[in-house]
Amino acid sequence: MTLFEASEIVKVFPGVRALDGVTLTLEAGSVHALLGENGAGKSTLIKVITGLYRPDGGRLLMDGREMSFGSPHESAAAGIGVVHQERNLIPGFTVGENILLQKLPTSRGLVDRAAIRSEAARWLAELELDIDPDQPVTELSVAQAQLVEIAKALSVESRVLLLDEPTASITPNEAALLFRVVEKLKDDGRAILFVSHKLEEVFQICDTVTVLRDGASVLSGGALADLTRDEVVDLMVGRVHEALSLPERAVDTAVPPILELRGVGTASGHADVDLSVRPGEIVGLYGLVGAGRSELAKALLGLDRITAGEVRVRGEAVKIRTVRDALRNHKIGYVTENRKEEGVFLEQPITRNIAVTIWDRLRKVLGYVPAKVETAMVTSYVEQLGIRIASPSQLAGTLSGGNQQKISLAKWLAAQTEILIIDEPTVGIDVRTKDAFHTLIWDLAANGLAILLITSDLPEMITLADRVVVMRDHRIRGELPNNHDYDQMSQQVIRLIHAEGTTAA
Amino acid sequence: MSAPVSSTATEALREDTPVEKPPRGTPWWANQRVGLLLLVVLLSALFGVLRPAFFNQQLVVFPLLRDIAMFTVVGLAQLCVLSIGHMNLAVGRMAAFSMMITGISYDLWHFTLYSGLLVGLVAGTAIGALAGWVIARTGVNSFVVTLALDFLLLGMIPLVYTSLTENAAFVTKPPGMRELRNFSLADVCIGNVCGSPAVPQLAIFAVIAMAVVGWIYARTRLGRELLMTGSSVRAAELSGIPTARRVIIAHAMSGCLAALAGFMLAVSTGSIKATIGEEFMLPSFLGPILGGTLLAGGFVSIWGTLLGTALTTVIRKGLDLLGVGLESLNIYLGLILLAALSTDRIRTLLSDRQAVASSSPPPPPKAAGSQEGER
């Protein structure tokens, strides 16, 4: 029996068709997998279903009746519960209060604690969980918190449950507990949508599957029993990417690496990381969200402790303490993935956003920074990177994502770094600008920069990297020379990522 | 400036989309400082009409300007920490602490007026740096740290005074102190041209402080890095700014300026006592914030601080002259400040509306950017 259906959903953002006629059908008593690469449109689809985004086309049907959700409240009222990828429990509250947050039982205007306890206990019992409703949520393990979130999603009497990457941050043992709960909910006749990157899990607990690619559903509601793992991978990556024509660029392998990691371990859990980058080389560090790639970059910059192994820059073992140290003494720059919070100063003028790395060099007596030199330097980069601005004193926050990203990159070029770590450079950037960025990164390498490119965008990786290093669970899982053949490379990389037997944390 | 960007990359990066329009430059009447200046002038005129005595140079204008000068320095002390998004609740007590040291230097070591001031400034800088160091080291909110420091000094200062003095005040007055209090620019002559008798010499300290602080924030690496730290600590850290050091320096500057304000108060009241700076805390926020300095950090206005301080001081003095009692004076002051802050908001809204109306194609570029980021 079809409980919920999203039919021919279209969602357009300026410059991008994020969803282009996606159809998804959820049956009662069945677990449905939603698969797709990063950026394929999974999150956007979930946001449409839960009323965070209004679709620009298509229909949402619940029990065959057409619905229109203006807010997450309305979708919850219609019986759709969702557990988001990010944790949404409120730290100061108890388990019970969190579960019933959307409609706290009250008596005479006051919160009714006894009712909370019994009501919450009922939902916890339904999931066969041994958790005390009076326990503060801060005392829960990550997996327990995840299960409490499911109880919370159920407490609105939901019949459709969306789980967005519920196992992203829990161990396999904890995941097993979660799957038991999912099985139970399925037997109770609920419809469940399961979003995950881990194919083993999908084959383990899901019945049917929808695969998204480039905002369209390339497979809608296929039975997983009829599919092999390779067929699913093919569906996910099988896109024909319009190859960007980039000029020839050869890496001189006789040149020793400028940056080299030998058996590096960090406080955030990396172990035995070996990695090297030569001048003029682009090394791609590929992995899924949470694999520990950005954390490794931050450890290199001294923002996290390196506990084992050694980092060598230009052949010498170094200990980098701060970003300033990395920049000044080793000429290493880091373009962050978190553009809005770490990359640009939204409320500061463009000039300062780019000049921030060079004041140190420009300053004269008493720390005086000559405005003329500063402006000339900034203007030169604004022109070279084609940043569209009205004036250099314009605030960075008024620019588009693409132009903000150019600014975030420009400050490291201005600082004349020789080693550049670029983290997810094209997230949330439209296709055209994306190609321009690829040309730029290619070009920087051709001019001798050593680039460590962190990305979970497979086409991007295969277009740019000379070598692909695959990371999972804070460890290097393999290294591949890149032949820029998309089909062949994507198969190999995805296989490395999903290789069985490497799940253990 | 040799950059490793080739012309092919530049070509690819060039966009044919129209320039993203920045929010239009705000019209002059929406400028906060212009509004403040008008308010100060209008209110002064109003008070002058109601009570001609308001323009009495010796009895009203002279002490009024002396107060404005002092509270401007107090405001600047707060502005320095506001620039990095912090607060200094101990601004008054830091002044008291510094003046205690200055008093000791006069009383026990027989220092001259200015070497005593120097000792005080050093003490203020040190206590401010200490606060900054604790904040940078522990990561505890500046509100909490300076509040705790305030209590610590509140207990400690009277103890020192009672053990060293008889009436909780240092009695030794170094030569020059009385002159500094009473002299105006009329006592400064270049040839036959003398300054106005209405402007106290003490105001020079405020002018120097404004010039130095203004120069730091507008022209130097330090000032820019402080503002960047205030805008976003994480982005600043990841851009290679030594943020911990910047936090310490901002608090040290705050302590130094608090000491200077304490000195100006000591000179104008003629005595160094434990209660110096008690009335500093609230005005220290009022001046900068009325003048447009952001509480959250990242933007400061030196002129705004002067004008904001002038506004509150003029209101106080005017109401005082009109014979309003102390309690009701505070009520009126509150009402006028509320009105000043709301008209400011109204002006901003009006100018925004005008800007929207004049840029005809409706899709705002900002909304597009934020949506893109959410995906």
Side-chain angles (χ1 to χ4, degrees), chain B residues 16-290:
Chain B
D16 22 294
T17 48
V19 173
E20 289 159 43
K21 255 195 196 164
R24 241 169 34 117
T26 42
W28 66 270
W29 48 263
N31 184 310
Q32 198 166 24
R33 271 151 287 169
V34 172
L36 274 177
L37 185 64
L38 281 179
L39 255 177
V40 173
V41 170
L42 281 177
L43 279 173
S44 306
L46 181 70
F47 288 133
V49 169
L50 294 174
R51 286 283 184 284
F54 189 78
F55 292 131
N56 182 312
Q57 290 200 339
Q58 246 180 346
L59 294 177
V60 182
V61 180
F62 184 86
L64 178 71
L65 288 181
R66 201 170 57 189
D67 278 3
I68 291 176
M70 181 186 74
F71 280 113
T72 299
V73 176
V74 174
L76 291 178
Q78 197 61 256
L79 174 138
C80 287
V81 283
L82 287 177
S83 75
I84 56 165
H86 283 199
M87 289 184 187
N88 181 359
L89 297 188
V91 67
R93 223 69 68 183
M94 283 185 183
F97 172 80
S98 318
M99 279 314 100
M100 181 183 84
I101 305 289
T102 300
I104 292 173
S105 78
Y106 291 152
D107 232 32
L108 304 181
W109 310 328
H110 310 291
F111 273 30
T112 62
L113 181 66
Y114 287 103
S115 45
L117 167 63
L118 194 67
V119 170
L121 294 182
V122 170
T125 310
I127 192 94
L130 175 72
W133 182 78
V134 172
I135 292 163
R137 203 56 208 251
T138 61
V140 176
N141 193 304
S142 62
F143 186 98
V144 179
V145 172
T146 54
L147 187 66
L149 183 66
D150 192 56
F151 273 108
L152 195 106
L153 293 175
L154 176 66
M156 194 194 86
I157 293 167
L159 269 183
V160 176
Y161 270 95
T162 42
S163 67
L164 289 179
T165 65
E166 276 170 23
N167 295 320
F170 289 104
V171 284
T172 313
K173 307 243 169 12
M177 194 159 169
R178 204 165 50 87
E179 289 77 1
L180 187 57
R181 172 175 57 209
N182 295 326
F183 279 12
S184 66
L185 289 189
D187 302 294
V188 182
C189 294
I190 302 164
N192 283 333
V193 188
C194 294
S196 157
V199 182
Q201 274 190 10
L202 260 183
I204 293 170
F205 288 105
V207 173
I208 295 172
M210 280 176 66
V212 171
V213 175
W215 194 73
I216 288 176
Y217 280 104
R219 295 271 179 268
T220 70
R221 166 187 169 214
L222 171 66
R224 283 151 204 244
E225 292 193 349
L226 288 173
L227 293 173
M228 299 307 255
T229 306
S231 256
S232 166
V233 191
R234 277 159 71 68
E237 181 82 50
L238 279 173
S239 300
I241 293 174
T243 47
R245 249 181 282 168
R246 294 293 165 261
V247 167
I248 295 172
I249 289 179
H251 281 271
M253 282 164 68
S254 181
C256 181
L257 287 163
L260 179 62
F263 178 77
M264 290 165 78
L265 180 62
V267 167
S268 54
T269 56
S271 75
I272 297 179
K273 49 182 189 279
T275 54
I276 277 180
E278 268 185 340
E279 69 276 38
F280 279 5
M281 217 253 281
L282 287 179
S284 78
F285 285 98
L286 266 182
I289 286 167
L290 276 174

Side-chain angles (χ1 to χ4, degrees), chain B residues 293-329:
Chain B
T293 295
L294 293 178
L295 259 180
F299 182 81
V300 298
S301 170
I302 310 315
W303 286 110
T305 303
L306 172 69
L307 290 169
T309 306
L311 179 66
T312 47
T313 319
V314 163
I315 294 172
R316 252 179 203 290
K317 198 66 156 189
L319 292 178
D320 189 29
L321 273 184
L322 291 179
V324 176
L326 191 66
E327 296 84 7
S328 32
L329 188 139

Side-chain angles (χ1 to χ4, degrees), chain A residues 324-476:
Chain A
R324 183 181 162 78
D325 184 23
L327 172 64
R328 279 222 301 198
N329 305 326
H330 307 293
K331 292 191 175 285
I332 302 176
Y334 172 65
V335 182
T336 169
E337 61 174 332
N338 190 350
R339 182 169 62 230
K340 281 186 194 295
E341 277 152 40
E342 298 179 342
V344 289
F345 301 84
L346 297 173
E347 291 115 52
Q348 296 289 341
I350 289 159
T351 324
R352 287 185 184 164
N353 264 285
I354 297 179
V356 60
T357 52
I358 58 158
W359 288 328
D360 203 12
R361 260 204 343 257
L362 285 187
R363 85 197 138 118
K364 299 254 165 22
V365 190
L366 290 174
Y368 173 69
V369 176
K372 262 191 195 158
V373 184
E374 188 185 35
T375 316
M377 193 277 314
V378 168
T379 317
S380 130
Y381 280 99
V382 164
E383 276 168 17
Q384 289 180 55
L385 297 183
I387 306 175
R388 302 287 292 187
I389 60 169
S391 104
S393 59
Q394 193 180 340
L395 301 189
T398 61
L399 297 174
S400 72
N403 278 323
Q404 285 180 15
Q405 185 69 353
K406 287 178 188 175
I407 287 174
S408 177
L409 186 68
K411 69 177 167 201
W412 297 111
L413 299 184
Q416 311 199 329
T417 48
E418 289 170 7
I419 303 167
L420 202 51
I421 304 171
I422 308 180
D423 198 350
E424 302 284 6
T426 57
V427 166
I429 284 173
D430 64 89
V431 182
R432 236 191 64 81
T433 315
K434 204 168 178 172
D435 279 351
F437 263 104
H438 292 169
T439 312
L440 172 66
I441 292 170
W442 185 268
D443 209 70
L444 292 172
N447 281 318
L449 234 69
I451 294 175
L452 180 63
L453 175 69
I454 299 176
T455 176
S456 29
D457 182 335
L458 207 44
E460 175 166 288
M461 175 70 55
I462 293 165
T463 307
L464 294 176
D466 297 306
R467 281 184 289 137
V468 178
V469 177
V470 176
M471 179 172 264
R472 175 167 169 184
D473 296 333
H474 294 71
R475 279 167 179 76
I476 304 285

Side-chain angles (χ1 to χ4, degrees), chain A residues 20-36:
Chain A
D20 199 357
V22 170
T23 298
L24 177 79
T25 313
L26 302 181
E27 309 276 337
S30 160
V31 184
H32 189 98
L34 179 64
L35 297 175

